Amino acid sequence: MIVQYLSFHCQLSLNESRQKRMITAYNKLCSDHECGEKKDYNMYETLPDAEDSYIIKLNAFLNKEETVMDLCKALKISKSPDSRFKLQVHSLDATCLGEARVHILLELLDPQFLTHVRLQYNGLGSDGVSRLAPTLSKLTNLTALDLSCNNIAISSNQAACDRLQQVFRSLPYLRRLDLSNSRIRNKLKIIDGLKTPLQYLKLAGCSLCEASLNFLASSHHLQGVTELDLSENSLGQHCVLICGMIRSARSNILVLELQECNFTNVHLEQLVYSCLQLRNLKLLNLSCNDFYWEPLINSIARLSCLLDLLVFKATYPLNTPEEPTEKEVEHRHICESISTHSASWRNRDRLFTVILHHPYAGDRVFDIQLKNIVM
């Protein structure tokens, strides 16, 4: 509705500007030729504030064809010299539109102002990304790019791999990147062209293999990333490498997500030990990994000593009964475990939230006020 409104008023503004130009031309023509009877038209009688112009800054969220058409129309009109309305799109979220519409839209946007682009679920595939690459390379002021959920087979399509690498080399200000659900496997080195370390890196469901993990472990991005998501990758066999990576980034990681990574009790102790070195960690997600109840509760208690940790997410063990234990009983169990482990260190007064996903009962949220725990 808002985009349609903008499109209508951009067209109206253009029509008024053209009317102004026609009136000016008419008056000039009449003044240059003597006429028996003539009337001078005053443009300001019909066009109030005719000399004013307006800049409209816009964050666009699009998921329908008609909305895209309206925005494209408004952008085309905005570029006309006669238009008094100038659109500046700073953020674009284009979802479920398809490659063709996304391509047209990106071509019409002014790269000078565009800083955030999110292109989820557009079915781009490897070939589509290759075709979009020249246009994406022009968006040199981008700070955030999301190409997730587009079935991009980077590992098996060398052309797409090369094109994406060229795109990243042309984006000097990029700080946030999401390539989730792209088949990257051993090709993560494509982000090496980003000379400034990323602050946000999401690689969920990318089939990452040892070569990519080794690259990330030695990459300059690991020293700058504050939010790292490696969920839905089979990382259990690479637990030692992951733990070393965590410890290397101990001074900068704020959010760490390792959901559904095939970790088991064998890996839990190593993971907790490494995460305890993340001094500034605020959220840790270990959901959908196969941990037993008692080791999990003990780990929660140990992790609660991280003074900035606010949220911990995990999943009930696979053998959890359909009828879960009373929430109050589990809450008391968690608090008692934290109380036992906290006897030897000083905590900071804060709300510590534990979110446990139950396969039948959904998420259970336990809000624990640490300052109220009896030592």
Side-chain angles (χ1 to χ4, degrees):
M1 181 63 70
I2 294 176
V3 174
Q4 187 179 23
Y5 177 86
L6 278 175
S7 178
F8 172 78
H9 280 276
C10 284
Q11 183 66 62
L12 183 63
S13 168
L14 182 63
N15 292 341
E16 288 178 346
S17 296
R18 288 173 175 171
Q19 181 184 355
K20 165 191 169 182
R21 191 169 58 189
M22 292 174 64
I23 292 174
T24 301
Y26 171 81
N27 288 336
K28 184 177 186 304
L29 183 65
C30 288
S31 65
D32 291 343
H33 298 80
E34 291 187 3
C35 300
E37 292 185 5
K38 70 180 182 70
K39 177 182 178 181
D40 286 335
Y41 288 93
N42 187 342
M43 68 190 77
Y44 298 106
E45 292 176 0
T46 55
L47 301 177
D49 300 321
E51 297 300 326
D52 288 348
S53 62
Y54 304 91
I55 295 176
I56 301 173
K57 298 180 180 180
L58 187 66
N59 293 332
F61 300 87
L62 311 172
N63 58 11
K64 294 182 180 179
E65 179 182 356
E66 55 270 25
T67 312
V68 175
M69 293 173 64
D70 285 334
L71 181 58
C72 288
K73 181 180 178 181
L75 288 167
K76 288 179 180 178
I77 295 172
S78 173
K79 291 184 177 183
S80 169
D82 293 329
S83 177
R84 291 162 50 210
F85 284 89
K86 303 298 181 182
L87 295 187
Q88 295 180 2
V89 178
H90 291 254
S91 176
L92 173 67
D93 189 332
T95 305
C96 304
L97 299 177
E99 178 197 341
R101 296 186 187 93
V102 168
H103 202 163
I104 293 171
L105 192 55
L106 289 176
E107 287 286 353
L108 287 172
L109 296 175
D110 191 337
Q112 178 183 354
F113 306 109
L114 192 60
T115 59
H116 293 68
V117 169
R118 184 170 180 258
L119 302 177
Q120 278 191 341
Y121 299 107
N122 284 296
L124 300 178
S126 305
D127 294 337
V129 164
S130 296
R131 288 188 287 267
L132 277 180
T135 303
L136 291 173
S137 296
K138 298 175 185 176
L139 309 179
T140 54
N141 286 325
L142 278 188
T143 60
L145 176 61
D146 184 346
L147 295 174
S148 63
C149 304
N150 278 294
N151 194 29
I152 306 170
I154 297 172
S155 61
S156 58
N157 190 311
Q158 190 58 43
C161 182
D162 294 341
R163 288 296 182 88
L164 274 177
Q165 198 164 25
Q166 292 171 8
V167 169
F168 295 145
R169 285 173 181 164
S170 65
L171 304 179
Y173 304 111
L174 196 68
R175 298 293 179 272
R176 300 176 64 86
L177 178 63
D178 189 345
L179 294 175
S180 295
N181 301 110
S182 301
R183 293 194 294 278
I184 294 177
R185 295 186 61 79
N186 61 343
K187 298 290 187 179
L188 188 57
K189 199 171 182 179
I190 59 172
I191 68 173
D192 197 34
L194 295 166
K195 298 306 178 185
T196 303
L198 291 166
Q199 296 174 355
Y200 173 97
L201 180 59
K202 186 169 183 178
L203 300 169
C206 289
S207 302
L208 297 178
C209 66
E210 187 173 0
S212 286
L213 295 174
N214 277 322
F215 163 77
L216 184 57
S218 60
S219 168
H220 61 293
H221 296 297
L222 194 62
Q223 305 309 315
V225 68
T226 58
E227 299 180 54
L228 180 62
D229 189 344
L230 301 178
S231 299
E232 300 174 39
N233 290 286
S234 185
L235 303 179
Q237 59 186 325
H238 307 298
C239 186
V240 174
L241 180 54
I242 295 299
C243 289
M245 194 184 302
I246 292 172
R247 292 192 296 272
S248 296
R250 59 183 175 273
S251 62
N252 47 281
I253 286 189
L254 304 178
V255 175
L256 178 62
E257 304 210 45
L258 298 171
Q259 177 176 326
E260 198 174 343
C261 289
N262 291 339
F263 291 128
T264 65
N265 276 334
V266 175
H267 311 114
L268 184 56
E269 173 61 30
Q270 300 175 64
L271 288 169
V272 172
Y273 174 78
S274 298
C275 289
L276 283 171
Q277 300 186 43
L278 299 178
R279 298 189 294 266
N280 302 309
L281 189 65
K282 296 184 180 300
L283 183 148
L284 176 61
N285 182 3
L286 295 179
S287 301
C288 301
N289 291 293
D290 189 13
F291 304 134
Y292 293 156
W293 178 249
E294 285 301 329
L296 179 61
I297 293 302
N298 290 334
S299 297
I300 292 173
R302 293 173 61 193
L303 289 165
S304 69
C305 74
L306 289 170
L307 299 184
D308 288 323
L309 186 61
L310 302 176
V311 179
F312 175 79
K313 301 174 70 175
T315 302
Y316 283 89
L318 294 177
N319 60 351
T320 299
E322 292 190 23
E323 290 297 328
T325 309
E326 288 291 331
K327 183 177 178 180
E328 291 75 13
V329 175
E330 291 182 349
H331 186 278
R332 185 165 60 250
H333 188 182
I334 295 172
C335 289
E336 288 173 353
S337 182
I338 292 176
S339 177
T340 301
H341 281 81
S342 63
S344 60
W345 44 263
R346 297 180 59 186
N347 212 328
R348 177 183 296 171
D349 291 349
R350 71 188 192 283
L351 187 68
F352 179 45
T353 300
V354 176
I355 302 173
L356 297 180
H357 177 74
H358 193 285
Y360 307 107
D363 287 346
R364 279 192 165 182
V365 180
F366 302 89
D367 289 326
I368 303 168
Q369 188 58 254
L370 292 182
K371 68 179 181 180
N372 293 332
I373 294 177
V374 178
M375 297 295 186

